[in-house]
Amino acid sequence: MRMSDLGASGTTPFVEIERRDWAALAPSAPMQLTERDIERLRSLGDPLDLDEVAEVYVPLSRLLNLYVQGARGTRRAASEFLRHDIAPTPFVIGVAGSVAVGKSTIARLLREMLARFPDTPQVELVTTDGFLLPNAELERRGLMQRKGFPESYDRRGLVRFVSEVKSGASEVSAPVYSHLVYDIVPGQAVVVKRPDILIVEGLNVLQPAVGGRLAVSDLFDFTIYVDARTADIERWYVERFLRLQRGAFADPDSYFHRYADLTEGEAVARARSIWAEINGPNLEQNVLPTRGRASLVLRKDADHSVSTVLLRKL
Ligand SMILES: Nc1ncnc2c1ncn2[C@@H]1O[C@H](COP(=O)(O)OP(=O)(O)O)[C@@H](O)[C@H]1O
Ligand SMILES: CC(C)(COP(=O)(O)O)[C@@H](O)C(=O)NCCC(=O)O
C-alpha cells in the first residue's frame, strides 16, 4: 500500500491514504448494514450507499475499534502501574465540520456500526446544537445572525456535560435542539448512561480553549473532521434548502415556513444569502481553522464520496 505524507515529507502530522488503498483495508469484513438501514441513517439529500459504507466506513469503524482497544490497554497498564484499578469511562469521539457537510449522517452511521462490535455494544450520540443558547437569549445578546458561531453556544454547559461523561457519571443529560422550530425544545433532554462510546457531533467541537479554560476538544479520545471544498459545501447547503423548502418548510411549525411559497429562484437567493452571511463566514473563521487538530480527516469529493483519508501519525 502507498501512503504518502501530506506536503513536504516529514512536515505534517498526518499520513494521507487514497480511497483505493483505504478501501482495501477491510475487504472481507462482513457487511451487516442493509440498504434499508442506510436509508434510515442518511440525512436529506445525502447520497450515502452500501458501496460507500463498505469502502470508507467499514475500515473507519474497524480503525476506531482498534483505538478503543488501545485506550483500554493503556488503562489496564496504568492500573497495574498504580496498583489501583482505574474505572473505565466512555471513549469519546468528536465529529466536526461545516454546516451541510454531512456530519450527522456520518455520526449516525458510526454509531450504528460501532455498536455492532461485541466489545462496544452501547454507543450514544449527542449533537452540540442542543447547547446552542435559546433564541430568546441569542436575541438578547444580538447573536441571532451568529447561530453556529462559538459564542452562540453554552460552551460551559457543553464542557460540563462531556466532563461528567468522561468522569464516568452514571447518568448525564443534555438539552435538545429542533431544526424545525429553530430553537431549543423546552423540557426535553437526551440522557447518556455511561455508554462504551459517546459520539459528540457539531460544527465547533474542535475549537481550542479560550482564556486558559478547558474546551470540549480537550476531553475527546478521537476526533474526525469532515472536509470538502467550500464551493461544494455551499452547493449542498443550497440544494438541501431547496429540498427542505419543498418539504419541511410547508409545516406551519417550521421556523422557515415563511419561505415555503418562494419561487425556486427566490429560494436559491435566500439560501445563498444565509450561507454568505452566517454559515460561510463561520466555516472560514471558526471551523476550517480547527481541521489540523483532528485525529482523522475525511476529505469528500463533489458527490459526497470520500476521496482521501488523513490519519494523524502516532
Ligand atoms: N431548516 C431545517 N429544517 C429541518 N432539518 C434541517 C434544517 N437544517 C438542517 N436540517 C437537518 O439537520 C441536520 C444537521 O444539519 P447540519 O448542522 O447542517 O449538519 P450536517 O449537514 O453536517 O449533518 C441534517 O440532518 C439536516 O438535514
Ligand atoms: C444548528 C446549527 C448551528 C448546527 O449546529 P451543530 O449541531 O453543528 O452544533 C446550523 O445547522 C444552523 O442552523 N445554522 C444557522 C444558519 C442556518 O439556518 O443555516
Side-chain angles (χ1 to χ4, degrees), residues 226-297:
V226 187
D227 193 26
R229 283 176 212 93
T230 301
D232 290 331
I233 309 175
E234 177 177 1
R235 187 167 42 75
W236 298 336
Y237 180 76
V238 173
E239 286 167 2
R240 185 176 73 189
F241 191 92
L242 285 178
R243 283 201 177 89
L244 287 165
Q245 199 229 354
R246 287 181 230 120
F249 295 177
D251 185 333
D253 287 336
S254 168
Y255 177 81
F256 291 111
H257 185 56
R258 64 200 128 122
Y259 299 148
D261 295 326
L262 298 184
T263 63
E264 183 165 325
E266 287 167 340
V268 168
R270 190 70 213 117
R272 285 208 184 119
S273 89
I274 299 175
W275 180 268
E277 284 156 25
I278 307 177
N279 299 318
N282 194 23
L283 171 57
E284 196 181 310
Q285 292 161 28
N286 298 307
V287 185
L288 208 41
T290 67
R291 182 177 56 188
R293 294 166 54 78
S295 320
L296 182 135
V297 179

Side-chain angles (χ1 to χ4, degrees), residues 82-125:
L82 294 169
R83 294 183 207 136
H84 171 83
D85 236 1
I86 305 171
T89 61
F91 186 89
V92 185
I93 300 173
V95 179
S98 172
V99 164
V101 81
K103 301 177 296 302
S104 46
T105 300
I106 294 174
R108 283 194 294 268
L109 179 64
L110 288 177
R111 176 194 192 176
E112 190 95 5
M113 297 182 83
L114 293 173
R116 291 168 190 232
F117 285 86
D119 51 352
T120 55
Q122 297 298 328
V123 185
E124 293 291 352
L125 169 59

Side-chain angles (χ1 to χ4, degrees), residues 97 99 103 127-130 132 147-148 153 177 179 182 201-204 237 240 256 274 278-279:
V99 164
K103 301 177 296 302
T127 56
T128 59
D129 48 15
L132 281 166
K147 214 182 240 199
Y153 292 86
Y177 181 78
H179 279 274
Y182 205 64
E201 177 244 309
L203 286 171
N204 286 309
Y237 180 76
R240 185 176 73 189
F256 291 111
I274 299 175
I278 307 177
N279 299 318

